[in-house]
Amino acid sequence: SAVISQKPSRDICQRGTSLTIQCQVDSQVTMMFWYRQQPGQSLTLIATANQGSEATYESGFVIDKFPISRPNLTFSTLTVSNMSPEDSSIYLCSVALGFGEKLFFGSGTQLSVL
Amino acid sequence: AQKVTQAQTEISVVEKEDVTLDCVYETRDTTYYLFWYKQPPSGELVFLIRRNSFDEQNEISGRYSWNFQKSTSSFNFTITASQVVDSAVYFCALSVGGSYIPTFGRGTSLIVHP
């Protein structure tokens, strides 16, 4: 089992600014993931956050726009940089405890960009 | 490549009605895992069930039941005597052997009216 604390839960930001989302897990986990969920849409994987190495980004997502840190096995941050209204979404962090195991999710960050 | 299809975008029922949410999956792997998650209006994804490809037994948990049929590549979810609290978006997901990362369907929004 894993309990994930994600913050902030929501924010309203001005275009051109950046927001950093934090994700804290109550146990050490190898695999952490960041998802984006645009309004009315499914979950889209942004990147896999690896401890001690660069994050692995999915097609369509780049490090300059979504820099990720993973300083240890219990914590990760996702920054949404130079925001535009198109970045308005729910951002979710999640962890997996093994192959084929269920994902545990944070409560999500509802981001609105004006 | 894997694919999950949830053809029903939105379902609207009246309380106490039974409702079935469809999920059809595609994979060439013989080892895979199927999941259902619930996302209530609060936004946090809640795990409901996990099934592996070698276990076709149907499962019942209270008012929830799942019908896994490999012959039709389907993993359907039925809620019996629906309640207003069942109103949520439900996601079906598929994870193939050796992967931490599931493929999510687009989700089905269930609205239960009093």
Side-chain angles (χ1 to χ4, degrees):
Chain A
S1 178
V3 177
I4 302 174
S5 175
Q6 182 176 343
K7 58 183 181 182
S9 58
R10 62 178 62 241
D11 207 340
I12 300 173
C13 301
Q14 297 295 320
R15 70 170 65 212
T17 63
S18 298
L19 175 72
T20 295
I21 303 167
Q22 299 181 4
C23 187
Q24 178 76 51
V25 190
D26 69 342
S27 59
Q28 294 187 337
V29 294
T30 304
M31 307 298 287
M32 291 183 70
F33 311 99
W34 287 97
Y35 284 89
R36 181 176 74 182
Q37 186 180 21
Q38 295 179 303
Q41 301 297 313
S42 187
L43 284 73
T44 301
L45 182 65
I46 298 171
T48 300
N50 307 309
Q51 194 268 331
S53 64
E54 293 285 333
T56 303
Y57 289 83
E58 298 298 304
S59 176
F61 297 96
V62 295
I63 187 172
D64 290 346
K65 176 68 176 176
F66 297 101
I68 288 171
S69 78
R70 182 83 198 273
N72 56 53
L73 291 174
T74 63
F75 187 78
S76 178
T77 67
L78 169 75
T79 299
V80 186
S81 303
N82 188 24
M83 288 184 285
S84 67
E86 292 70 34
D87 294 319
S88 297
S89 293
I90 297 174
Y91 292 85
L92 295 145
C93 69
S94 71
V95 302
L97 302 185
F99 293 125
E101 296 292 331
K102 66 180 180 182
L103 294 183
F104 295 88
F105 286 89
S107 55
T109 297
Q110 174 78 60
L111 172 61
S112 297
V113 183
L114 304 179
Chain B
Q2 296 73 239
K3 186 178 179 181
V4 176
T5 301
Q6 295 180 258
Q8 304 149 310
T9 303
E10 183 176 297
I11 301 175
S12 183
V13 299
V14 177
E15 212 170 15
K16 298 184 182 177
E17 284 186 29
D18 298 347
V19 58
T20 295
L21 284 61
D22 298 332
C23 174
V24 174
Y25 63 93
E26 295 177 30
T27 180
R28 292 184 178 179
D29 285 69
T30 55
T31 301
Y32 53 88
Y33 303 86
L34 294 161
F35 306 84
W36 276 95
Y37 292 88
K38 174 182 180 179
Q39 187 178 39
S42 61
E44 184 171 354
L45 276 94
V46 178
F47 165 80
L48 295 178
I49 191 172
R50 168 182 178 263
R51 256 295 178 259
N52 73 56
S53 53
F54 301 108
D55 183 1
E56 278 193 82
Q57 274 196 330
N58 292 329
E59 180 150 343
I60 298 174
S61 177
R63 296 184 297 106
Y64 294 173
S65 63
W66 291 269
N67 184 352
F68 177 26
Q69 291 196 342
K70 291 176 74 171
S71 61
T72 56
S73 298
S74 64
F75 187 43
N76 296 337
F77 172 31
T78 297
I79 302 174
T80 303
S82 59
Q83 299 177 0
V84 173
V85 294
D86 296 326
S87 297
V89 180
Y90 292 86
F91 291 96
C92 181
L94 166 69
S95 180
V96 299
S99 174
Y100 283 94
I101 305 171
T103 298
F104 284 87
R106 62 183 295 175
T108 297
S109 176
L110 174 64
I111 302 169
V112 182
H113 299 280

